[in-house]
Amino acid sequence: MDNTDPDAVRVFSLNCWGIRYLSKYCSQRYHMIGELLCKEKPDIVLLQEVWSEKDYLFLKKKLSCTHPYTHYFKSGVIGSGLAIFSKHRIHDTLLHRYSLNGYPYMAHHGDWFGGKAVGMAVLSLGSLTANVYVTHLHAEYNREKDSYLAHRVVQAWELQQFIRHTSAGADVVILGGDLNMHPQDLGNRLLRSYTGLRDAYAETAKFDGCEGGVTLIADNPFISQKEIFPFEKGIRIDYILFKGSSRAEIGCDSMSTTKGSVADSPFPFSDHEALTAELKLNSAQTGNDKPCKTPDSAGNLAELVDIVTEARTEVKVGLHCAERMRYTAARTGVMGLALLFLELAIAAVPWFALGAEQPFPQTSFYLLAALCFAILLTTFLLYIFYTIEIKSLQGAEDQMRLAVGSLHEKLRGFAATQPHCASMEPPEGQEPPARDPEE
């Protein structure tokens, strides 16, 4: 195997919208995607919404010559929809399923059944180790009244935790996927601020694609205006993020997106636009001397405190909503139980009053009993589900509280060590300030 470090790595990311029997022209579009990847030959391919394993196996066979290393991340009822194809050897993989994934009774949205997750693959880029992540977060169906905001914030929180804790030994970190968040949304700021990941679109020296880098565009025939309202030109929710390390510097030389229409085809590759980023790699010079912290470090810490506090507030709002829904489910269940006891009491009337006839027709009686049992079963399942949601939200809120405390400690430590980093001499005629004996 060649251990020569590559000068650049091309990363491709696409939400394939591959819902069999529901997504339009699904089979034809997978053929188009396969042809595109065979032609362009990116080093790393990160795909989302490959819901059918048959479609993944089709792409695996199609790309067997150009991308011999591949992995399909399985999760949930119908799968995570995440897949990775690579020219470089995959040494290890790991999947983390998000603790919150929407609601099972919102079947028309389907996020819960997909088991949204983040998949990681450890690759070799010559002598460098690259941790490559692919993810798909919960969709935003109504921006003005977003019922899933707390879930998406928790997913972003778990995503940044997963990346931070698994990428410590990596030389290069790359994340691609459908984050379902605008660039300045809370979850996006939380992810980038905590991990230090940089946005390829914001960092690129050359861009060719839709204006503003949008990946859901109004010109796409698979997109309805309702999905992008009130943004007339479209929204940017798909990303390629990256960062280097002390061993490797990384930057984005160029980036491009598809533009809806495809030559010689009546429809595009997907309802999302595909992203391709050309990432340039350089061996970094390492040294033993670490520079002193700058005032910007304190500013970054303070900004991060504000972001985590904002995220914690949104999680608390979601927690109150979940508690209210659990209370409603419990109250409805009690009403169903009371109705069932009332029916049993009515059924017992003939036993205590000899010769009395049943006051209700048997058909109505059985239908009412079936309704009571249905109410009890449904409310019981909802109570369990909301309890799980509450536990997940409480766990995330506790983690954020600890994180805010830790960040405050770092800020205080930075303020205490700031004089030691200053290299300025005291003004002429003044003596240096006396040091604390405990320092």
Side-chain angles (χ1 to χ4, degrees), residues 81-346:
L82 306 176
I84 180 172
F85 298 84
S86 174
K87 290 182 177 180
H88 306 275
R89 179 175 295 278
I90 298 176
H91 294 284
D92 198 6
T93 61
L94 182 64
L95 179 75
H96 171 72
R97 182 177 174 182
Y98 298 124
S99 60
L100 294 174
N101 280 296
Y103 304 103
Y105 52 81
M106 302 293 283
H108 59 295
H109 288 165
D111 294 77
W112 185 85
F113 297 94
K116 296 295 178 67
V118 51
M120 181 194 76
V122 180
L123 309 181
S124 287
L125 301 179
S127 63
L128 300 177
T129 299
N131 277 25
V132 179
Y133 301 85
V134 57
T135 191
H136 186 194
L137 271 59
H138 200 294
E140 177 187 79
Y141 295 97
N142 188 333
R143 189 161 183 84
E144 294 181 357
K145 190 179 180 181
D146 189 359
S147 304
Y148 302 108
L149 179 57
H151 285 213
R152 198 161 48 255
V153 169
V154 171
Q155 288 180 345
W157 174 258
E158 294 180 359
L159 175 58
Q160 66 84 15
Q161 284 185 313
F162 184 74
I163 292 175
R164 284 193 301 114
H165 294 307
T166 57
S167 64
D171 302 314
V172 175
V173 177
I174 299 171
L175 167 65
D178 177 6
L179 300 185
N180 274 310
M181 296 183 293
H182 295 224
Q184 293 305 315
D185 281 357
L186 172 60
N188 210 329
R189 289 183 283 121
L190 180 67
L191 170 64
R192 287 185 282 113
S193 297
Y194 239 122
T195 60
L197 290 169
R198 295 146 55 196
D199 186 354
Y201 172 74
E203 298 268 337
T204 185
K206 180 182 178 182
F207 177 75
D208 178 26
C210 303
E211 183 180 352
V214 297
T215 55
L216 281 186
I217 63 174
D219 294 338
N220 192 307
F222 299 138
I223 294 294
S224 66
Q225 291 298 323
K226 183 180 178 182
E227 292 182 65
I228 59 176
F229 179 82
F231 306 94
E232 295 181 358
K233 295 183 179 179
I235 56 178
R236 184 161 80 98
I237 59 176
D238 300 87
Y239 300 85
I240 293 176
L241 308 176
F242 62 89
K243 72 173 182 178
S245 66
S246 59
R247 286 194 61 203
E249 295 176 352
I250 185 171
C252 185
D253 269 0
S254 65
M255 183 177 180
S256 63
T257 69
T258 53
K259 302 177 183 179
S261 59
V262 178
D264 303 324
S265 176
F267 44 83
F269 296 107
S270 174
D271 60 341
H272 289 239
E273 301 307 316
L275 295 78
T276 303
E278 184 89 16
L279 303 180
K280 185 177 181 180
L281 298 173
N282 290 316
S283 296
Q285 298 295 327
T286 60
N288 296 325
D289 297 329
K290 295 183 179 180
C292 291
K293 295 181 180 179
T294 65
D296 290 338
S297 299
N300 291 339
L301 284 174
E303 180 185 5
L304 188 53
V305 169
D306 292 339
I307 293 173
V308 177
T309 302
E310 185 181 351
R312 188 180 172 193
T313 301
E314 290 296 344
V315 170
K316 285 182 178 180
V317 172
L319 180 59
H320 292 321
C321 291
E323 289 173 340
R324 186 169 63 249
M325 294 299 291
R326 184 175 68 170
Y327 172 75
T328 301
R331 185 176 60 181
T332 305
V334 170
M335 292 174 61
L337 186 62
L339 186 60
L340 181 61
F341 280 130
L342 178 61
E343 186 179 19
L344 292 175
I346 295 173

Side-chain angles (χ1 to χ4, degrees), residues 1-22:
M1 182 178 176
D2 187 8
N3 287 325
T4 304
D5 295 348
D7 296 329
V9 57
R10 294 180 67 224
V11 182
F12 176 95
S13 177
L14 174 64
N15 182 322
C16 297
W17 192 45
I19 310 173
R20 280 207 166 196
Y21 314 114
L22 293 178

Side-chain angles (χ1 to χ4, degrees), residues 374-387:
I375 291 174
L376 286 174
L377 179 61
T378 302
T379 54
F380 177 71
L381 293 176
L382 286 175
Y383 186 87
I384 292 177
F385 175 81
Y386 286 124
T387 299

